[in-house]
Amino acid sequence: MASDNSAENAAELIAQLQVEIAQLKRENANLTALNRRAEEKLFAALDGNGLCLWEQHIPSGNLTIFNMRWGELLGFSREELAAHIDSWKSKLHPDDKDWVIKAFDDHVSGKADYYQVIHRMLHKDGSVSWVSDRGRIVERLADGTPLRMMGSHIDITQEKRYEIDLALLAHSDPLTNLMNRQAISNAFDECLQSVEHGGLFFIDLDGFKALNDHYGHKFGDTLLMHIADTLVFHAGELAHIARLGGDEFVILMPTSEVEVLEALAQSLLDVYRQAFILEDCEVKIGLSIGIDIFGANDSFAESCDRADAAMYRVKHQGKHGYCFSI
C-alpha cells in the first residue's frame, strides 16, 4: 500500500513539474519575444539617428557593433575591415589619432572615469567622417583588470559640416568668399600682435553702379568676384582681404614700407587701366584706393576711417588712383 502511495506521489510530482516546466517555457518564450521586439525598436531608433552601440573585449581587442554591420559607418564590408580595435585605430584621422587613442587608454588604465571624444575618421571613399564616441568599462576580472567596455558611436558629419559652414558664413562674405568686416577686424588685432605697424587699403570701385544698373545684378556679382580674385592674386599670401559690402574692399598688409604699399596699389590700378571683356561685355572700371599706415595704438575702425577719408580724396581728385592718409 505504501508503495502505491509513493508511486502516486511521484506521479503527481512529475505532473506538477511538467506543468511548471511548460509554464516556464511559455514565460521564457514570451520574454524572448518581448526582448526581440524591444531590440528591434531600439535598433530601429538607433539606426535612424546614425547611432550604433559597440562593445570591446579588451584582452583580445575584438569589437562588436550590435545594431549595424561592422565597417558600415566607413563604407567597408566585414571582409575588408576586421572588427578589431587595431582596425579602428588605423582609420582615425592622422591629426586626431594620437590624442584620441590617449583618451581611450586613459579610461582603460583608470586615469579617466569614461572615454568621450569627438573626432574624425577616414571613409573608404577618401572623405572625412566626424563621430562622437563615448564608452566605459562595464566588466572587470576579480583582480580589477578591465574585461569589457561598451559605448556608443554617432556619425555627426552632417552636423559638423553645418557647424563649419555657419562659422564660415559668420566670418566671410558669401559672394566673394573674402573676409567680412568682423573677420578683418579680428585679423587687424592679431596683426598688431606680430608687427608694430602695417598698411590698410580702403578700395571703392569707380563706375560700378552704372555697370550694375546697365547689365543687371548678376553681372554686377560676377564683376565683384572678378575684383576679389584680382585683389587676392596681387596682394600675396600674407595679406588679409575683405569685402565690407557693396563695392567696398579692404586689404590688410603686415608691412608699413611705403614702397611695398605703393607697388601694390599701382599694380592694382594697372590691371584696370584699360577696358576688358567680362561675359561678352566691355567693362571699364576704376579703383579709388586710400591707404593708412597704422600703429600699435590704433583700432581697426580708426585706421579704416582714415583710409576711407584718403579714398574720398582720390575720388575728388579724379578717381582711379591712390592716396595715403594724413
Side-chain angles (χ1 to χ4, degrees):
M1 191 68 174
S3 177
D4 292 342
N5 288 337
S6 297
E8 289 177 4
N9 291 337
E12 289 177 2
L13 180 58
I14 292 173
Q16 183 179 351
L17 289 174
Q18 289 175 336
V19 170
E20 292 178 356
I21 291 172
Q23 183 178 351
L24 289 173
K25 287 182 177 180
R26 288 193 297 270
E27 291 176 355
N28 183 64
N30 289 334
L31 290 173
T32 300
L34 289 172
N35 181 66
R36 184 169 58 252
R37 285 195 291 270
E39 287 183 346
E40 290 171 353
K41 292 177 181 179
L42 174 62
F43 293 160
L46 294 177
D47 292 343
N49 290 316
L51 185 151
C52 68
L53 297 179
W54 57 265
E55 177 185 276
Q56 182 197 348
H57 181 253
I58 294 175
S60 67
N62 291 330
L63 290 169
T64 300
I65 292 182
F66 293 101
N67 60 311
M68 298 179 69
R69 290 185 61 193
W70 168 255
E72 282 184 352
L73 286 170
L74 299 177
F76 293 93
S77 67
R78 186 184 298 271
E79 292 73 25
E80 292 176 307
L81 195 66
H84 193 275
I85 191 171
D86 290 342
S87 298
W88 170 73
K89 290 179 179 179
S90 72
K91 299 306 174 186
L92 290 171
H93 191 283
D95 293 341
D96 297 344
K97 186 173 185 177
D98 290 343
W99 70 265
V100 171
I101 293 175
K102 182 179 183 302
F104 184 90
D105 291 342
D106 281 350
H107 174 57
V108 174
S109 64
K111 295 180 181 178
D113 293 335
Y114 52 84
Y115 159 72
Q116 183 175 13
V117 292
I118 293 177
H119 64 89
R120 291 164 291 179
M121 298 196 74
L122 303 178
H123 197 277
K124 181 181 178 180
D125 62 12
S127 63
V128 174
S129 296
W130 284 88
V131 299
S132 176
D133 212 5
R134 180 186 175 95
R136 65 181 181 86
I137 304 297
V138 295
E139 185 179 355
R140 298 177 182 272
L141 297 175
D143 62 359
T145 301
L147 181 63
R148 288 191 306 121
M149 183 174 179
M150 292 194 70
S152 61
H153 177 115
I154 309 173
D155 187 331
I156 59 169
T157 303
Q158 294 301 322
E159 292 85 348
K160 200 66 180 180
R161 287 174 180 169
Y162 182 65
E163 177 185 320
I164 292 171
D165 289 343
L166 283 180
L168 289 174
L169 286 174
H171 294 89
S172 66
D173 171 55
L175 175 64
T176 62
N177 289 325
L178 297 177
M179 290 179 168
N180 61 13
R181 181 181 293 272
Q182 183 60 53
I184 196 69
S185 178
N186 294 341
F188 184 94
D189 294 339
E190 292 174 2
C191 181
L192 285 178
Q193 296 177 11
S194 57
V195 299
E196 293 185 359
H197 297 85
L200 189 73
F201 286 54
F202 193 105
I203 303 171
D204 187 86
L205 305 186
D206 304 322
F208 174 78
K209 185 178 184 302
L211 290 167
N212 192 56
D213 292 344
H214 182 72
Y215 292 114
H217 293 297
K218 183 178 179 181
F219 179 85
D221 288 346
T222 302
L223 178 56
L224 290 172
M225 289 187 284
H226 184 280
I227 299 291
D229 290 341
T230 299
L231 300 183
V232 171
F233 179 79
H234 285 267
E237 294 182 357
L238 296 180
H240 296 282
I241 308 173
R243 177 183 174 225
L244 300 188
D247 59 346
E248 296 178 339
F249 297 84
V250 164
I251 302 176
L252 173 64
M253 296 290 293
T255 179
S256 59
E257 294 184 25
V258 173
E259 295 82 0
V260 174
L261 301 177
E262 286 182 330
L264 173 57
Q266 192 59 57
S267 69
L268 295 174
L269 295 174
D270 290 343
V271 173
Y272 296 107
R273 195 165 298 283
Q274 303 295 328
F276 65 98
I277 303 299
L278 181 67
E279 293 193 342
D280 298 326
C281 300
E282 184 177 80
V283 178
K284 176 62 176 176
I285 197 165
L287 308 180
S288 290
I289 306 173
I291 307 172
D292 179 62
I293 296 178
F294 58 84
N297 295 323
D298 289 319
S299 68
F300 171 74
E302 293 169 339
S303 182
C304 196
D305 285 346
R306 292 195 298 263
D308 187 23
M311 180 273 295
Y312 272 106
R313 288 201 299 275
V314 175
K315 292 279 190 185
H316 295 317
Q317 294 169 3
K319 302 180 180 180
H320 199 63
Y322 68 88
C323 177
F324 282 85
S325 62
I326 298 174

